[in-house]
Amino acid sequence: MASASFVEIISHFAGYLQIFEDIARDRTQYDETLAPGPSADFTTLRPNYNHRYAPDDLDSAGGPWPAPLADDPMDVFRGRPLKLHKGPQDPDFDFFPTPLKPNIVLPAAGGGGGGGGGGELNIRVTYENGGAQTQLTVHQRNFMHDEDANLPADFLAAAEPLIMSLNSDAMDTIKELVANANAEVPPDWWMPQNDAVLPDFITTHDAAWADRDGTPDDHSVPAGYYVNGELQEPPTEPRPPIELKELPDTGDGPGQWASMGGNSSINAALLVDIGEGARTMVVLGDYFKTDAMFQTNTTIDNDQVSVSGGEGTPSVTSEGNVATNIANFVQNPSLYAELPSYWAGPNWIVDVVDGDYYSVNAVSQTNYLSDNDVAAQVSSEGHYNLVGGHNQLGNLAQIFDGDIQYDLIIIEGAYHGMNVIFQNNILLNNDNIVMSADGTDPSQSVNSGHNRLLNEGAIENYGGDNFDTLTPGLQLILDLLASGVTSIDPELGSAIAGNGGPLRVLYVKGDYYDINAVWQTNITSDINVLYQLQNEPSADLMALDPDAGVTQSASTGGNELTNDAAIVDVNPDVIYVEGEIYTDSILVQANLLPVDQDDAVNGDTDTLVTELIAFVDDTQDQNNASPAVVTNSVQADPMASVLH
């Protein structure tokens, strides 16, 4: 069972939207270098214990008593007339002296280079090497084989080759389904799952985009909330939490119960990128920004169910499968939309990167489950409860990349930005169930459907949609910083929005790569072959509870495959671009039901169940044939190639 905190996190990403404005607000500073004090300010006077008078001398050495107060009490405040240097005397000058006005000489306006402003209040510029960069790859993978055989011991030798053939054909079918899912993704979007080579991929992608003069992608869509390819209004209520399945309560009455489905596979990822959350970005080359989501659900659930010998009409459910793709492209206002801006001075700290700058995050999550079970339940007495499913696999990733370090980001080359999510669910759930009764009339029910496949992705941008051309003041600042000046005219501090403290600048002499990519894949093979034979219970057993009925129940569906991913990208408030601007949102959503693969493993299941029934029928004269439980050997390299 997954922990409560795990379920809570994967169900709700609420809360991350509220933290960024606080981060930006907290960067408001006060530069204390505006009012420097003398170095002795922090030294207090030391006490002097060498007094001229001892306590015993105070009476004899005390000073004279003060003169009595004059009859006119205001006489104490009068003195010599005050001589004013400038202007007339205030009527109340005696009590409220006029404060001194500041006498600060401002530098003359004009051409501002290193010494163009003159005076001591020029903006001081210091240069440092580097700048924090990120290249991160995270791979999370779960592989589980739970291939059970609950069979009579004498039948195992005959069944083993058939079971191996079933598992081999199941793997071949899975490979076909993977190929079908890959076919829904355009070949030019087959991205490597590695931070080291993602910059090369995006460089090629953006170059091709520029070559076609910025023509949008064939799958380009406007921002919004999409469900299975349809643009809709986003829900006002949050999605309910994911509830992991509990085993059913079967009571203690006579009968047979088999739970061979109910598997859960969950991938959840939250990636928050705030490293580009500056007030201002300047791009001297081209600006590229792409948000893309690719979501596929693939289901094969071709069941064969035979029920006989029970009381009344049996309950057989093979439908109710649900496959859903949800994609949400959200554009939020800039973090600084409601925050004041300040003069950008008097100290600028410039981090210089000689070459390209990388902010690359790649997260890959995979769950692979093989739960192909072959079972026989033959009984007349007792409560026979068989559980062959209800496995739970989960991956969780929360990545917070960077913090808001810079007020100004300057890029001499191009900006390459991309947020992309790939989500794939693949389920193979072909079942062959034979349920029969001999000498009794049980209540019979079969549920081989109600599988649920869900992909939910969100790409939320804060800011990054306010573009402008370079202003003369900003162009002058770029020229000065490029030449390495250490002093700038303070009037140029009004050309850039500051935060009230030292202005932090990132100066990149190459290209800037800002990439966030998430891959999420769930693959479940849940093929079940089940034969239930309920023989007549003894009269003594039924006499214990005459009103109790006999039950036969089989559940082989109810699998849940869930991918949940959110990328939160905090962008600059204003972006000045000298080159071309390319932006796009891309969406591919598909729910696949490959009918050509429906019967891919049914030949194996037919053979198995036929052989199993024949064996059980031949051994009915033997009393209490005990089943043996074995686990099949793991297939070699089951996931040699999964999705890209």
Side-chain angles (χ1 to χ4, degrees):
M1 174 62 65
S3 67
S5 59
F6 178 82
V7 175
E8 180 181 357
I9 292 171
I10 63 179
S11 301
H12 300 286
F13 286 125
Y16 65 84
L17 303 181
Q18 306 301 323
I19 64 176
F20 311 117
E21 183 174 338
D22 294 336
I23 294 174
R25 192 184 303 275
D26 290 345
R27 295 195 73 245
T28 300
Q29 306 175 32
Y30 299 97
D31 192 342
E32 297 184 0
T33 58
L34 291 172
S39 59
D41 276 359
F42 302 99
T43 304
T44 61
L45 295 175
R46 302 295 92 191
N48 180 13
Y49 299 104
N50 299 317
H51 298 292
R52 293 171 54 198
Y53 303 104
D56 296 339
D57 300 331
L58 291 180
D59 290 338
S60 59
W65 292 97
L69 289 175
D71 294 335
D72 182 1
M74 295 302 294
D75 184 68
V76 70
F77 297 105
R78 293 193 176 96
R80 292 181 303 169
L82 296 177
K83 181 179 180 181
L84 297 179
H85 294 282
K86 296 180 181 179
Q89 178 174 332
D90 248 344
D92 296 326
F93 184 81
D94 289 343
F95 297 101
F96 304 100
T98 303
L100 295 176
K101 295 181 179 179
N103 187 21
I104 300 175
V105 180
L106 294 176
E120 297 182 355
L121 288 181
N122 278 4
I123 295 173
R124 297 185 293 274
V125 185
T126 58
Y127 298 87
E128 299 177 357
N129 291 326
Q133 303 187 44
T134 301
Q135 286 189 264
L136 174 68
T137 297
V138 176
H139 287 287
Q140 295 178 312
R141 294 169 176 162
N142 292 312
F143 297 93
M144 177 181 286
H145 284 260
D146 183 30
E147 295 161 344
D148 303 320
N150 187 74
L151 299 170
D154 294 343
F155 184 65
L156 280 175
E160 187 173 358
L162 300 176
I163 294 173
M164 293 182 63
S165 177
L166 170 63
N167 291 333
S168 177
D169 289 343
M171 177 53 62
D172 291 340
T173 303
I174 290 293
K175 291 178 180 178
E176 291 293 329
L177 301 184
V178 169
N180 292 341
N182 278 335
E184 295 298 316
V185 179
D188 56 347
W189 277 99
W190 289 17
M191 296 175 62
Q193 300 180 19
N194 190 298
D195 65 88
V197 290
L198 280 176
D200 294 335
F201 172 87
I202 195 173
T203 299
T204 302
H205 171 272
D206 291 348
W209 195 359
D211 289 343
R212 61 176 189 266
D213 297 325
T215 302
D217 190 272
D218 292 339
H219 302 281
S220 179
V221 297
Y225 182 84
Y226 294 85
V227 179
N228 292 334
E230 299 293 332
L231 180 62
Q232 301 183 7
E233 288 294 324
T236 57
E237 296 295 328
R239 179 168 56 82
I242 296 174
E243 298 289 342
L244 297 180
K245 289 184 175 296
E246 300 284 349
L247 282 170
D249 183 3
T250 60
D252 55 6
Q256 300 168 340
W257 289 261
S259 298
M260 304 173 72
N263 300 293
S264 298
S265 293
I266 302 172
N267 291 310
L270 171 60
L271 202 164
V272 180
D273 181 9
I274 62 177
E276 290 72 43
R279 284 186 178 270
T280 307
M281 175 181 282
V282 178
V283 182
L284 300 182
D286 293 333
Y287 179 93
F288 299 91
K289 181 64 177 291
T290 305
D291 294 330
M293 278 189 266
F294 303 89
Q295 300 172 320
T296 68
N297 291 311
T298 305
T299 306
I300 293 182
D301 187 18
N302 187 10
D303 303 321
Q304 302 177 73
V305 180
S306 173
V307 181
S308 61
E311 178 183 10
T313 303
S315 172
V316 178
T317 303
S318 298
E319 307 296 332
N321 296 322
V322 178
T324 308
N325 292 308
I326 300 174
N328 197 11
F329 297 93
V330 183
Q331 179 62 56
N332 295 297
S334 163
L335 299 186
Y336 304 96
E338 303 297 330
L339 298 181
S341 60
Y342 301 87
W343 177 68
N347 296 298
W348 292 9
I349 304 170
V350 183
D351 291 342
V352 180
V353 177
D354 289 318
D356 297 332
Y357 185 94
Y358 299 95
S359 175
V360 183
N361 298 287
V363 179
S364 176
Q365 299 175 316
T366 302
N367 291 314
Y368 177 81
L369 171 62
S370 182
D371 183 31
N372 304 325
D373 301 327
V374 180
Q377 286 182 290
V378 181
S379 64
S380 58
E381 309 291 328
H383 182 99
Y384 191 169
N385 191 5
L386 172 65
V387 178
H390 284 263
N391 300 288
Q392 296 175 356
L393 287 73
N395 291 307
L396 171 63
Q398 294 185 95
I399 297 174
F400 289 80
D401 179 28
D403 53 19
I404 302 178
Q405 298 187 56
Y406 299 105
D407 304 286
L408 171 63
I409 299 176
I410 301 171
I411 305 168
E412 287 190 354
Y415 170 85
H416 301 277
M418 180 177 288
N419 299 310
V420 60
I421 296 173
F422 296 90
Q423 295 176 319
N424 299 278
N425 290 315
I426 296 175
L427 173 64
L428 175 59
N429 186 216
N430 283 13
D431 302 317
N432 199 320
I433 302 169
V434 176
M435 181 181 292
S436 63
D438 184 12
T440 185
D441 295 320
S443 171
Q444 297 172 313
S445 64
V446 176
N447 182 4
S448 60
H450 290 100
N451 298 293
R452 180 175 176 267
L453 285 70
L454 171 65
N455 291 313
E456 184 165 6
I459 297 177
E460 300 208 19
N461 283 283
Y462 283 78
D465 57 343
N466 185 10
F467 297 95
D468 206 343
T469 57
L470 290 177
T471 63
L474 193 54
Q475 182 63 64
L476 179 56
I477 290 174
L478 299 181
D479 295 340
L480 294 173
L481 294 180
S483 64
V485 300
T486 58
S487 180
I488 292 179
D489 189 329
E491 289 195 357
L492 290 178
S494 301
I496 300 176
N499 65 6
L503 189 79
R504 296 301 303 256
V505 181
L506 175 64
Y507 195 107
V508 179
K509 294 187 176 181
D511 291 346
Y512 194 112
Y513 292 93
D514 181 17
I515 307 171
N516 300 301
V518 177
W519 290 264
Q520 294 179 319
T521 302
N522 290 310
I523 298 177
T524 297
S525 177
D526 183 29
I527 301 171
N528 300 292
V529 177
L530 174 64
Y531 177 46
Q532 283 186 336
L533 175 59
Q534 175 66 51
N535 292 315
E536 182 179 6
S538 67
D540 292 340
L541 176 62
M542 299 307 296
L544 295 175
D545 189 354
D547 296 330
V550 179
T551 300
Q552 281 184 294
S553 174
S555 176
T556 59
N559 298 288
E560 294 193 356
L561 286 68
T562 303
N563 291 313
D564 199 342
I567 296 176
V568 181
D569 195 6
V570 181
N571 303 289
D573 185 32
V574 182
I575 304 173
Y576 297 91
V577 182
E578 194 169 62
E580 300 295 330
I581 299 173
Y582 305 92
T583 62
D584 201 2
S585 298
I586 297 170
L587 176 63
V588 172
Q589 292 180 320
N591 291 320
L592 306 178
L593 300 171
V595 294
D596 58 320
Q597 298 291 324
D598 270 358
D599 300 325
V601 296
N602 285 2
D604 298 306
T605 61
D606 286 343
T607 301
L608 264 169
V609 77
T610 300
E611 294 288 337
L612 182 55
I613 293 171
F615 178 84
V616 171
D617 289 345
D618 289 343
T619 58
Q620 277 298 285
D621 292 338
Q622 303 177 15
N623 295 325
N624 300 321
S626 300
V629 180
V630 299
T631 301
N632 292 330
S633 59
V634 176
Q635 298 291 324
D637 194 16
M639 294 293 291
S641 175
V642 176
L643 300 172
H644 317 317

